[in-house]
Each structure stands twice: as C-alpha cells, then as structure tokens.
C-alpha cells in the first residue's frame, strides 16, 4: 500500500479526496523547486532552528516563546468515535512529525511552503466535553474539568471551549500558516473548527536569550516562571500519575485577556508600577533593584505605607504554598483599531500545571477578588485542555486514550 493510499484510508472518504488532490499537486513540485527550497533551509539561521518532536512530552511547552502562534479548537462531528479519534491522531502525528522537522506533510498541496522547521511546534490537547462525548470520563486526569465561573470574566463563546486543541507556533508566519492549514485539512473529516486565535511575541533576535518579553501594557511578563529543564518545572508541570496516556502530559488553561490600553495609557508611571507591583524599566519588585530579587511584601515606605500595595497584582498572584505555581506562556494579540482609535489588544495567556485545584484556581480566586489590574484587563475567552504525553517513533499521539 502506498503512503498516500494509507493516508486516504485513515482519513476517510472526504479526506481521501483531499489527499488525492494533494498528491497530484505534490507531483508538480519538481526537482528544481525542491533544490531551491533545500537551499533556503540551509542558508537562513531562523529557518534552520529545530525543536525535537519525539520524547516523553509533547513539544511546544517547555521552550522559549516562538514569534508567532495560532490556537485552533475543534468540535467533534456527529458519529466520531474512539476509532475515528485514533485515525485522526494518526494523521496528526505523522504530519506534525514531518512539519516540525521542516519537511512537507504527506500529500502536501503546497510543499514549497515547508521552507524549514523555524522552531515549529504543534501540541494536541482534549477538552472536558470530548471525554463526555466519547464516554472517557474515567480517563480524565485528576482535577481536570471546566473552570468555575470567575466574577471578572466576560467570556465570549467565539473565544471559548472546544473538544480538541491544536496549538501551533513557529518563528516564521509563512511556516506557521502552512502548518496550520495542513493540520486543519487533516482534521476536517473528524471535527469542525470552533475558533482560531493568533498571537505573537518579540521577533527572534530582538530580545537577548533569557530576557523575558514585555506584554502590550509595557510590563515584563513571566518573571516567576519555573526555569526550563529544571526539577521545579518537572514537579509543577508534568503529570506523573493517573491514566498512562497523560503521564508525561499536563493540563493547559487558556485565557484570552483583553487589555483596555486607552485608559491604561492615561496613568502615570508611578500609578502603573503600583498596580503591578514592579518597576517599568527593570521589572524589579518595588523596593528592589533586579527583576528576580525576592519580593519583600512587608516593606513599608517613610510614611508607613506598604511599598507593594494590597491591591498590587504581584501580591495577589504570589503563591501561598510552594506547589501553588504554574508555567505561564503568554502571547500578545492585536486584531485592529476601532473607529475611535482604541486598539483591540491583549494576551493569549496559557498556564501549564499538574492540578487545577491546587495550582491555577486558588490563584485566580485571589485575583478576581482584589487585583486592581482587573480594571484594565478582562478575560473574554477561556478553555481547558488535557495535553497528552509525548510519543516515540512509530507511536501515535494519545493512542492509549482511544484504543
């Protein structure tokens, strides 16, 4: 059986037709074009950078931010069962493995767009509703569920929920767009797109290695994150118990957080620093010199007032227990400017953790009660996904879940 025929068999009649078209298109991608694409891959540093695909964990989490990102959530089509899910995951696994290494997907209609890896990653997760639809509630990791309602939320359905998530990021927008297009093509025989949300961070080379990026409010973001490849990260993020398919995986909280920059920009520097609890220039806690200095929540000024106010964001977000932390990976978004000049901007904010009940939820409860930053930020999208563990060559993502 040829590879294209195998793909058509896996995807079903609809996707099979697409595969045939793709194969035909691929045939037109001649040797000269392939050689030109290969030359580009070998010449540019940004395109050559590659993230590994195989391993204990899925890629796209334990790494520095890429420049561009796209979160795509799907709802299952009627009649999709566990066997169909396994076929879908087989297609995704195969294509993600190829695309992340800079190769064209199987039966790729536009293989010339696979310019190189450009640190492309693609991460797959599953929402609570998918487990309910497929009768797999017993396979859910501990604490996994829809988030409770928070009083600061103003959620919109077009930015929230979803049965399955594919989160794709890369350092080049063309590489990213091509990969997303391919992975959506893989998926349409099994699910419909519920929402897609695009974001960005600093371009590669703009911010020195190890320096945290700023969000669009001008604040350094992610200071208290556990370090990559540390025991701290391992203990906070990767699940090590429960069903086999999730051991090595994690739980992702997704929040689309709108920023009201028109009123934020009216504040002076001192007021902005009081709201966050950090200086604007270095990101240091108020009263300290460096971003990573230990926060002194008891410090008072000459007037006896707290240096870091009770309403400051870092005081409310600070962990009350060693395990009450998580790994944040926020991308900015900007979708335009209104007629009165107000930009539609904010964060596509993600948090990765082992347990929602002991990590994200207690922190969010404190923030909803008394964080002055809530005056300028509003969660308008929300979802939660269980991220399957990684795969080794020859394996299929989440195969143990759907077998």
């Amino acid at each position: 059986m040829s590879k294209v025929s195998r793909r058509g068999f896996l995807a079903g009649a609809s996707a099979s037709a697409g595969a045939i078209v793709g194969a035909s298109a691929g045939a037109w991608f001649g040797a000269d074009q392939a050689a030109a694409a290969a030359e580009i891959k070998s010449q540019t540093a940004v395109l050559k950078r590659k993230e590994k695909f195989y391993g204990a964990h899925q890629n796209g989490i334990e790494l520095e931010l890429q420049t561009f990102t796209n979160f795509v959530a799907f709802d299952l089509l009627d009649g999709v069962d566990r066997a169909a899910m396994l076929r879908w995951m087989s297609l995704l696994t195969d294509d993600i493995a190829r695309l992340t290494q800079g190769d064209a997907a199987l039966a790729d209609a536009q293989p010339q767009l696979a310019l190189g890896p450009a640190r492309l990653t693609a991460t797959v997760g599953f929402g609570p509703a998918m487990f309910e639809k497929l009768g797999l509630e017993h396979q859910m990791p501990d604490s996994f569920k829809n988030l409770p309602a928070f009083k600061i939320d103003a959620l919109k359905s077009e930015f929230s929920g979803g049965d399955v998530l594919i989160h794709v990021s890369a350092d080049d927008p063309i590489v990213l767009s091509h990969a997303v297009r391919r992975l959506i093509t893989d998926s349409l025989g099994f699910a419909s797109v519920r929402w897609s949300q695009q974001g960005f961070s600093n371009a590669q080379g703009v911010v020195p290695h190890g320096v945290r990026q700023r969000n669009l409010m001008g604040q350094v973001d992610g200071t208290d994150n556990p370090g990559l490849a540390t025991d701290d990260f391992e203990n906070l993020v990767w699940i090590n118990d429960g069903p086999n398919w999730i051991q090595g995986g994690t739980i992702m909280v997704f929040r689309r957080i709108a920023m009201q920059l028109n009123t934020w920009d009216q504040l002076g520097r001192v007021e902005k620093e009081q709201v966050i609890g950090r200086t604007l220039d270095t990101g240091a806690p108020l009263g300290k010199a460096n971003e990573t200095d230990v926060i002194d929540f008891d410090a008072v000024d000459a007037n006896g007032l707290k240096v870091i106010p009770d309403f400051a964001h870092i005081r409310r977000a600070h962990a009350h227990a060693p395990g009450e932390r998580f790994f944040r990976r926020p991308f900015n978004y900007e979708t335009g400017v209104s007629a009165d000049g107000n930009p539609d901007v904010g964060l596509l904010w993600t948090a990765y953790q082992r347990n929602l009940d002991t990590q994200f939820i207690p922190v969010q409860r404190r923030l909803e009660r008394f964080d002055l930053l809530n005056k300028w930020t509003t969660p308008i999208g929300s979802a939660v996904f269980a991220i399957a563990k990684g795969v080794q060559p020859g394996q299929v993502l989440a195969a143990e879940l759907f077998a």
Side-chain angles (χ1 to χ4, degrees):
M1 180 182 291
S2 72
K3 291 183 178 179
V4 172
S5 297
R6 177 179 63 84
R7 185 179 190 78
F9 171 76
L10 288 171
S14 176
S16 179
I20 293 170
V21 172
S24 299
W28 288 97
F29 189 59
D32 290 344
Q33 291 172 293
E39 185 176 357
I40 291 174
K41 291 180 188 179
S42 68
Q43 288 181 346
T44 61
V46 172
L47 279 174
K48 284 194 296 186
R49 296 183 67 189
K50 183 186 301 183
E51 300 291 345
K52 69 175 184 179
F53 172 67
Y54 295 110
H57 318 297
Q58 287 196 63
N59 60 18
I61 300 172
E62 194 172 4
L63 75 168
E64 293 188 0
L65 289 175
Q66 295 103 319
T67 305
F68 305 96
T69 197
N70 195 335
F71 297 82
V72 186
F74 298 85
D75 286 334
L76 299 188
L77 297 179
D78 291 342
V80 168
D81 58 11
R82 299 180 197 178
M85 288 297 299
L86 194 55
R87 294 198 297 273
W88 183 10
M89 292 303 114
S90 297
L91 288 174
L92 289 180
T93 304
D94 187 69
D95 276 349
I96 293 172
R98 294 169 186 270
L99 291 164
T100 55
Q101 303 310 297
D103 299 323
L106 198 63
D108 196 330
Q110 299 291 336
Q112 63 271 35
L113 293 179
L115 298 173
R119 288 210 305 143
L120 178 76
T121 60
T123 312
V124 179
F126 309 103
M130 185 215 73
F131 291 88
E132 296 170 5
K133 291 177 179 178
L134 299 179
L136 290 171
E137 294 93 331
H138 62 288
Q139 291 280 357
M140 293 167 69
D142 186 33
S143 83
F144 185 65
K145 58 196 169 191
N146 286 313
L147 295 177
F150 299 106
K151 62 183 181 181
I152 58 174
D153 289 353
L155 303 182
K156 300 181 179 180
S157 60
E158 62 264 37
F159 301 136
S160 302
D163 292 336
V164 177
L165 174 77
I166 304 176
H167 175 208
V168 190
S169 302
D171 286 336
D172 178 79
I174 300 298
V175 170
L176 175 72
S177 175
H178 171 250
V180 169
R181 188 169 152 199
R182 285 306 317 162
L183 299 179
I184 288 178
T185 299
D186 286 344
S187 304
L188 293 181
F190 310 94
S192 59
V193 175
R194 182 184 180 96
W195 51 257
S196 173
Q197 304 184 48
Q198 296 82 46
F200 59 90
S201 68
N202 286 110
Q204 293 304 301
V206 170
V207 177
H209 176 73
V211 175
R212 293 164 183 85
Q213 71 157 334
R214 293 178 184 271
N215 61 38
L216 297 178
M217 301 181 89
Q219 300 288 342
V220 175
D221 208 329
T223 300
D224 289 334
N225 264 340
L228 303 178
T230 62
D231 289 343
D232 194 26
F233 191 101
E234 178 82 20
N235 294 330
L236 290 169
V237 175
W238 301 123
I239 295 172
N240 63 356
D241 57 12
N244 286 334
W245 74 273
I246 196 67
Q247 293 190 33
T250 185
I251 297 174
M252 171 206 275
V253 169
F254 171 86
R255 305 277 280 176
R256 184 184 180 98
I257 302 172
M259 295 175 172
Q260 287 76 56
L261 293 190
N262 53 333
T263 54
W264 176 256
D265 290 345
Q266 295 172 9
L267 297 180
R269 172 173 176 163
V270 172
E271 289 81 8
K272 289 177 180 176
E273 292 180 339
Q274 292 277 308
V275 170
I276 302 298
R278 292 185 180 275
T279 59
L280 280 171
D281 52 355
T282 65
L286 295 182
K288 299 291 183 177
N290 303 303
E291 181 189 352
T292 56
D293 286 349
V294 176
I295 305 171
D296 184 357
F297 288 113
D298 297 324
V300 295
D301 61 19
N303 298 316
L305 300 176
K306 292 179 179 176
V307 172
I308 298 177
D310 287 336
F311 55 71
H313 179 72
I314 64 168
R315 183 182 288 277
R316 308 302 298 174
H318 190 71
H320 284 195
E324 198 183 78
R325 298 166 54 224
F326 38 79
F327 178 61
R328 293 162 288 161
R329 207 163 185 268
F331 290 88
N332 301 298
Y333 77 81
E334 180 170 0
T335 62
V337 181
S338 67
D340 56 1
N342 292 325
D344 181 4
V345 300
L347 287 176
L348 303 179
W349 187 92
T350 56
Y352 300 87
Q353 66 238 276
R354 284 182 171 182
N355 189 299
L356 288 173
D357 289 332
T358 60
Q359 294 179 264
F360 174 77
I361 291 177
V363 174
Q364 188 60 34
R365 286 297 189 200
R366 285 199 299 276
L367 292 174
E368 72 171 337
R369 293 190 191 106
F370 199 41
D371 178 12
L372 191 59
L373 185 60
N374 294 334
K375 187 174 180 179
W376 293 276
T377 59
T378 306
I380 59 173
S382 184
V384 60
F385 299 97
I387 307 296
K389 67 181 181 182
V391 294
Q392 302 298 334
Q395 296 180 339
V396 171
L397 279 167
E400 292 169 292
L401 177 60
F402 302 116

